[in-house]
């Protein structure tokens, strides 16, 4: 009799251990809700492939020296750590999770490279617990509160705007239009029309309703401090900004612009010129323009400390300059050294 009791107690204890372990595992994977104001990355970064994202002193980036694999580091470029073995872009960060587009066909190592994996993914900040939220091709994605809004592509529907909840419990089509969700502030996504016009529109993620904001002719809108910065399609793609409160437009430069990124104090942009192309920067009101680097550059991504970019058509070297201090262009050597150390 005593032997049977011991067996029952042992079995119960074992089941309890398994239950507690299962419960802890489920809790560790639970995705807490975000406030509606949470945004995964800036429009400027996402419109430049979303290769860098920053939160609470940590920078998460696609390391061009390691086939675009996801890395983390402090904002001062210390403590670099490799988080994935496949290339990523459109990086978003919110709460305790990272969201990104992963595609192993573009390079990488391990099983994910032999068997192609791609889609919208979520992981913890340390790269653990990777989970696919939607196995589909995506161009640009933005975290807005509890949802990832993303450009979903397949051979039947082509490009449509979808949203998937961060815990994967909901995945729905938001619009049949080609909408770039990169510019988001306080739960509102600002985007330009692509079908009948290039007006400025606003999508309120609380209701997924769309309204017209400004009947301009713009491209790549980016929100900053109450303004929408954009490329003026009707005037040779010069940079302008539109005041949401005053309904007024300011011309910031007459240079033709290929790409741009708006930071806290400066706008970085690529000046298109047949004779003097250059990466430029100017203050948010268009004053004090200066040359950062002569030549053609792309993929301008900004963090709190640095502006990162590379020569047009070349993934490496990656260059950087202090985002707010005096211009001083140097290679992103910390990323190259970390890649070499991880691939010995």
């Amino acid at each position: 009799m005593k032997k049977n009791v011991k067996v029952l107690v042992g079995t119960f204890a074992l089941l309890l251990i398994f239950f507690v372990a299962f419960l802890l595992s489920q809790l560790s994977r639970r995705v807490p809700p975000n406030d509606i104001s949470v945004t995964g990355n800036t429009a400027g970064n996402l419109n430049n492939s979303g290769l860098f994202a920053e939160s609470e002193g940590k920078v998460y980036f696609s390391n061009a020296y390691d086939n675009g694999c996801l890395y983390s580091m402090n904002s001062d470029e210390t403590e670099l750590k490799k988080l994935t073995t496949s290339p990523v872009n459109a990086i978003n960060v919110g709460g305790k999770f990272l969201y990104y587009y992963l595609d192993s066909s573009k390079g990488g190592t391990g099983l994910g490279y032999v068997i192609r994996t791609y889609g919208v993914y979520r992981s913890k900040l340390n790269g653990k617990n990777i989970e696919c939220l939607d196995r589909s091709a995506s161009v640009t994605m933005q975290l807005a509160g509890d949802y990832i809004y993303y450009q979903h592509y397949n051979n039947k529907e082509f490009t449509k705007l979808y949203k998937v909840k961060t815990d994967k419990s909901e995945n729905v089509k938001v619009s049949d239009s080609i909408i770039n969700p990169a510019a988001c502030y306080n739960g509102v996504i600002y985007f330009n029309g692509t079908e009948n016009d290039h007006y400025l529109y606003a999508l309120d993620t609380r209701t997924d309703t769309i309204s017209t904001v400004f009947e301009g002719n713009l491209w790549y809108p980016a929100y900053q401090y109450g303004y929408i910065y954009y490329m003026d399609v009707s005037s040779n793609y010069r940079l302008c900004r539109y005041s949401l409160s005053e309904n007024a437009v300011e011309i910031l430069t007459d240079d033709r612009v290929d790409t741009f990124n708006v930071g806290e104090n400066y706008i970085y942009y690529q000046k298109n010129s047949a004779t003097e192309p250059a990466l430029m920067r100017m203050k948010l009101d268009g004053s004090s323009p200066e040359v950062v680097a002569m030549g053609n550059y792309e993929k301008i991504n900004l963090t709190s400390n640095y502006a990162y970019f590379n020569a047009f058509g070349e993934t490496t070297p990656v260059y950087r300059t202090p985002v707010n201090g005096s211009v001083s262009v140097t290679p992103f050597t910390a990323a190259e050294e970390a890649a070499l150390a991880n691939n010995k």
Side-chain angles (χ1 to χ4, degrees):
M1 182 70 178
K2 290 182 178 180
K3 184 178 180 181
N4 290 337
V5 171
K6 288 181 179 179
V7 171
L8 288 173
V9 170
T11 303
F12 176 77
L14 188 61
L15 289 173
L16 182 61
I17 290 171
F18 279 124
F19 175 76
V20 171
F22 173 77
L23 183 62
L24 291 174
S25 175
Q26 292 301 109
L27 288 174
S28 70
R29 291 177 175 272
R30 190 176 72 88
V31 183
N34 293 321
D35 185 80
I36 189 65
S37 63
V38 172
T39 300
N41 205 343
T42 65
N45 282 355
L46 291 174
N47 287 333
N48 284 273
S49 298
L51 303 180
F52 289 76
E54 185 171 2
S55 177
E56 297 182 352
K58 284 287 185 180
V59 173
Y60 305 90
F61 68 101
S62 174
N63 192 344
Y65 294 98
D66 195 0
N67 294 315
C69 292
L70 181 63
Y71 277 63
S72 68
M73 66 178 177
N74 295 328
S75 58
D76 63 358
E77 299 183 349
T78 58
E79 298 184 17
L80 279 75
K81 297 178 181 178
K82 186 173 182 175
L83 305 183
T84 70
T85 57
S86 295
V88 304
N89 58 44
I91 303 168
N92 282 250
V93 56
K96 296 181 180 180
F97 291 87
L98 293 166
Y99 307 86
Y100 43 82
Y101 181 71
L102 180 149
D103 190 347
S104 65
S105 69
K106 297 178 181 178
T109 58
L111 183 63
Y113 182 52
V114 177
I115 302 173
R116 186 190 179 195
T117 55
Y118 65 95
V120 177
Y121 278 76
R122 182 195 72 219
S123 73
K124 288 189 173 182
L125 297 180
N126 60 6
K128 304 296 184 181
N129 292 13
I130 296 178
E131 183 169 359
C132 182
L133 301 183
D134 185 11
R135 184 180 168 84
S136 68
S138 177
V139 181
T140 302
M141 49 187 274
Q142 175 65 277
L143 172 66
D146 286 333
Y147 291 87
I148 293 288
Y149 285 76
Y150 63 105
Q151 293 175 312
H152 174 286
Y153 177 85
N154 61 39
N155 293 330
K156 293 182 179 180
E157 288 189 316
F158 299 105
T159 303
K160 309 294 182 185
L161 183 69
Y162 273 66
K163 71 175 183 180
V164 58
K165 201 165 185 180
T166 54
D167 64 3
K168 202 181 177 179
S169 63
E170 181 183 343
N171 190 348
V172 297
K173 181 166 63 176
V174 177
S175 175
D176 285 317
S177 299
I178 301 175
I179 293 175
N180 178 355
C184 184
Y185 175 73
N186 197 29
V188 177
I189 292 173
Y190 295 95
F191 66 95
N192 59 265
T194 57
E195 297 170 354
N196 301 318
D197 55 61
H198 293 151
Y199 294 171
L200 177 65
Y201 294 93
L203 187 158
D204 191 333
T205 62
R206 298 164 182 83
T207 59
D208 285 340
T209 55
I210 295 174
S211 59
T212 304
V213 179
F214 167 52
E215 295 184 0
N217 193 355
L218 58 138
W219 201 255
Y220 278 169
Y223 177 91
Q224 185 69 297
Y225 302 142
Y227 289 92
I228 298 295
Y229 292 79
Y230 64 93
M231 295 159 63
D232 187 354
V233 179
S234 59
S235 296
N236 200 33
Y237 291 87
R238 65 187 179 185
L239 272 180
C240 298
R241 69 177 182 179
Y242 170 77
S243 171
L244 292 169
S245 60
E246 299 179 4
N247 190 30
V249 172
E250 296 176 64
I251 300 169
L252 303 179
T253 179
D254 285 321
D255 291 338
R256 180 184 172 92
V257 174
D258 290 330
T259 186
F260 74 98
N261 198 331
V262 184
E264 291 186 354
N265 300 299
Y266 287 96
I267 305 168
Y268 283 77
Y269 69 94
Q270 175 60 39
K271 173 185 174 182
N272 182 304
S273 171
T275 57
E276 296 182 324
L279 177 64
M280 306 284 296
R281 78 174 185 183
M282 59 186 173
K283 292 184 179 178
L284 298 185
D285 61 0
S287 63
S288 305
E290 60 181 324
V291 173
V292 176
M294 295 300 299
N296 288 298
Y297 298 91
E298 62 178 349
K299 298 177 181 177
I300 309 165
N301 279 247
L302 307 182
T303 67
S304 58
N305 282 0
Y306 293 100
Y308 297 91
F309 53 94
N310 52 265
F312 182 80
E314 299 178 11
T315 56
T316 58
V318 177
Y319 300 102
R320 49 37 145 207
T321 186
V323 70
N324 292 320
S326 300
V327 171
S328 177
V329 176
T330 53
F332 185 15
T333 55
E336 184 177 15
E337 291 169 357
L340 290 172
N342 279 301
N343 294 302
K344 283 184 178 179

